[in-house]
Amino acid sequence: MSSQSDLPLPVVLPREAQASTGRGDFVAVSLEDGLPLPALTPQKPSTSQGRGGRRPEVDWIKAVAIVMVVMIHSLPDTFTSSEISHMDVWIGQITRFAVPSFLACSGYITSSSRSSRSFKAVRHRLERLLLPYLVFSVVAWCYQYAMTKTDRGGEKDSVSSFILNLLLCSELGPYYYVFLILCLVLVTPLIARLPQRAMPFVFCVALGLQFAHEEWLLPSQSLFWQIRSPARSLAPFLAGWLASQHRESIVDFLEQGRRRLLCMALLSVLCLLSAVALFQLPELGRLSWALIVVESYAVLALLFVATVGPTEGPEVVSWLSNASYTIYLSHYYFLTPVLLLYPYVPGTFDPVRILLCTVAGLGNSASLVLLGRSLLGEAAPGSGSAELARLLFTPDGPRRRSCTV
C-alpha cells in the first residue's frame, strides 16, 4: 500500500490556465501524469441568508408566534370562566399555530447545525433553555407563595411542591412548552442519526400520531400529560427539520417566475377556508381539532414561503425573535394583573380587554429584556455579566453580538 507521501500531489493552475478552462474553478492537476483531479471549486456563497448569516424566515415566524402566544393567554379560558364567547374560542383556534411554530423553528435550526449529531451539543442547548427557565420559575414560586402563603400547608410542603413543579415544568401553565422542547433536545442526536431518506416517512408517522392525539384516539391521559405528550410536538419539530434540509431547493423553486406569489395565494386560501370552517363548526368537536392542525401547518407554511430567502427582515423582527423565549417565560407576570383588574363578563366578547392584556404582557416583558440587557450586558460587553444577560434575556440571540443583530 502506498504511503500518503507517494500519492500524486495536486497543484493549482495559474490564473492564465484557469481562464483557459472557461470557468473560474481551481483545477487540480497531478504532477505525475498531468491528469486532472476533481476540481477544487469554491463553495458558492449562500444568497438566501440575511444580515449576519441570519435566516429571516426564522425571525419572522418566531416574532409572529410570540405575539400570538401573548394574545392567546389574554383570552378567557375554561379554567377562569364557565362560559366563553364563540369569538374568543375561534380566535384561540386560529392562533394555535404559535407553539408549533416554535417547535418547527427549533427543528429547523437544529437540522442545519453541524453539531446536531453530537451529544455534547445537548449540554449547550440545555444551558440556553434551563437557566432562564429556572430563574423565572423561582420568581413564579416566590410570587405565588407570597400570595397564597396561608393556603399552601407549610413551607416544607411548598418547597417539595416547587421541586416537583420544576421537574414537570408546571410552575406556570405556559411552561409546558419547556417540557416539550427539553424532550426534543434530548432526542435530537438520535433524530440526526436517522437516514435522510427515512425522514419523510418518520414525519408522516409523527403527523399521524399528532392527528390521533388531537382527536383523542390515543389512550386517554389527564389534561396535564395530554399537553405534554410527545405526540403533539414531534411532527412540528420534524417539519422544520425537513424544511431546513431542503431549504436551498425550496428557495430556488420559489424564485422562479411567480411561484412564490402563487404558493402564497394557495396557502392563504387554505388558511381562510380553514378559519371559516372553524367558525362555522361546533366548538371543539372532533373535526374542529383536525382543522386546527391543518390551519396550524397552513399558517406556518405561509409565513415560511413569504419570508424565506435573502430579504432581510426589520431589526425589530430580529429582536423579537432573539427575545421570544424570555418574553414567553415572563409575559404571564404582566398580563395577569390586568386580567384580575379587568374581570371577564361570561359569554361576552371584549376586544378591549384582550388588547390591553396583550399590550401589557408583550410590552412589559419586552421592556424587561431591554432593562436586563442594559444593566448586565451593555455596561461590560464580553464580560461574565454580559454572557449572563444574553442567556437570561436573549437566549435565542447570537453569541457575543448585540441582540438586534
Side-chain angles (χ1 to χ4, degrees):
M1 180 179 296
S2 301
S3 65
Q4 186 174 358
S5 60
D6 295 332
L7 298 176
L9 298 175
V11 296
V12 177
L13 292 178
R15 188 177 302 274
E16 295 81 4
Q18 293 177 30
S20 67
T21 66
R23 302 181 303 171
D25 301 340
F26 298 98
V27 180
V29 179
S30 168
L31 286 176
E32 181 175 310
D33 52 18
L35 296 177
L37 298 176
L40 304 178
T41 306
Q43 183 78 18
K44 180 182 178 181
S46 174
T47 59
S48 57
Q49 292 188 353
R51 177 177 53 249
R54 300 187 69 93
R55 293 193 167 183
E57 62 273 18
V58 173
D59 287 339
W60 274 106
I61 291 173
K62 290 172 64 178
V64 172
I66 192 59
V67 175
M68 293 298 102
V69 163
V70 179
M71 189 177 73
I72 289 171
H73 293 150
S74 301
L75 297 169
D77 56 59
T78 54
F79 299 105
T80 58
S81 176
S82 58
E83 185 179 353
I84 304 174
S85 73
H86 180 68
M87 183 64 69
D88 287 320
V89 174
W90 181 69
I91 293 175
Q93 290 175 332
I94 63 174
T95 53
R96 277 278 301 273
F97 68 90
V99 169
S101 295
F102 286 123
L103 298 172
C105 286
S106 180
Y108 190 83
I109 296 171
T110 305
S111 175
S112 61
S113 173
R114 295 179 181 178
S115 61
S116 59
R117 294 171 59 92
S118 171
F119 285 95
K120 293 182 180 180
V122 171
R123 179 178 64 85
H124 299 291
R125 296 181 187 124
L126 291 178
E127 177 186 88
R128 295 167 74 112
L129 289 169
L130 287 177
L131 181 58
Y133 165 68
L134 292 174
V135 170
F136 285 107
S137 291
V138 170
V139 173
W141 177 79
C142 293
Y143 173 78
Q144 295 186 56
Y145 180 73
M147 294 295 293
T148 60
K149 186 175 180 180
T150 57
D151 301 326
R152 305 246 341 201
E155 185 176 354
K156 182 178 179 180
D157 291 341
S158 180
V159 172
S160 60
S161 176
F162 168 70
I163 294 174
L164 181 61
N165 290 340
L166 199 63
L167 293 174
L168 299 177
C169 302
S170 59
E171 190 60 33
L172 281 182
Y175 288 1
Y176 76 91
Y177 164 77
V178 181
F179 185 90
L180 295 176
I181 198 65
L182 287 176
C183 292
L184 291 170
V185 168
L186 292 175
V187 301
T188 291
L190 301 179
I191 296 175
R193 284 168 166 76
L194 293 174
Q196 186 169 349
R197 292 182 179 180
M199 290 302 295
F201 173 76
V202 176
F203 167 71
C204 290
V205 173
L207 185 61
L209 286 174
Q210 183 181 8
F211 272 101
H213 175 273
E214 297 293 351
E215 293 289 326
W216 296 82
L217 299 177
L218 299 179
S220 60
Q221 299 173 319
S222 65
L223 180 62
F224 181 89
W225 289 111
Q226 186 78 4
I227 63 175
R228 287 168 173 77
S229 172
R232 74 192 302 259
S233 60
L234 183 58
F237 183 82
L238 293 178
W241 191 288
L242 281 172
S244 179
Q245 289 181 338
H246 301 284
R247 182 179 190 270
E248 295 301 326
S249 299
I250 295 173
V251 172
D252 291 341
F253 173 82
L254 293 175
E255 289 180 346
Q256 297 179 23
R258 299 183 178 180
R259 291 181 178 179
R260 187 188 297 268
L261 291 177
L262 178 60
C263 291
M264 290 174 59
L266 293 175
L267 289 169
S268 298
V269 170
L270 179 59
C271 292
L272 180 61
L273 291 176
S274 300
V276 171
L278 284 170
F279 188 81
Q280 298 294 331
L281 287 173
E283 298 174 3
L284 304 180
R286 280 199 165 187
L287 185 56
S288 295
W289 286 113
L291 276 175
I292 288 172
V293 177
V294 173
E295 172 83 5
S296 298
Y297 282 104
V299 174
L300 182 56
L302 177 60
L303 290 172
F304 177 76
V305 169
T307 58
V308 66
T311 305
E312 298 178 358
E315 288 197 11
V316 65
V317 172
S318 301
W319 188 90
L320 271 176
S321 173
N322 288 344
S324 59
Y325 186 53
T326 304
I327 293 174
Y328 188 96
L329 293 174
S330 62
H331 74 277
Y332 216 67
Y333 303 130
F334 302 110
L335 64 81
T336 300
V338 181
L339 292 173
L340 296 176
L341 293 173
Y342 197 145
Y344 173 67
V345 179
T348 63
F349 174 63
D350 193 341
V352 175
R353 182 177 185 265
I354 297 172
L355 179 61
L356 289 176
C357 292
T358 303
V359 171
L362 188 62
N364 285 292
S365 55
S367 300
L368 176 66
V369 174
L370 288 172
L371 180 62
R373 291 292 297 177
S374 177
L375 295 177
L376 296 177
E378 295 179 3
S383 64
S385 62
E387 182 67 7
L388 178 62
R390 183 190 65 81
L391 287 173
L392 286 178
F393 299 109
T394 53
D396 293 333
R399 294 177 181 270
R400 301 183 181 90
R401 293 185 182 178
S402 168
C403 62
T404 58
V405 172

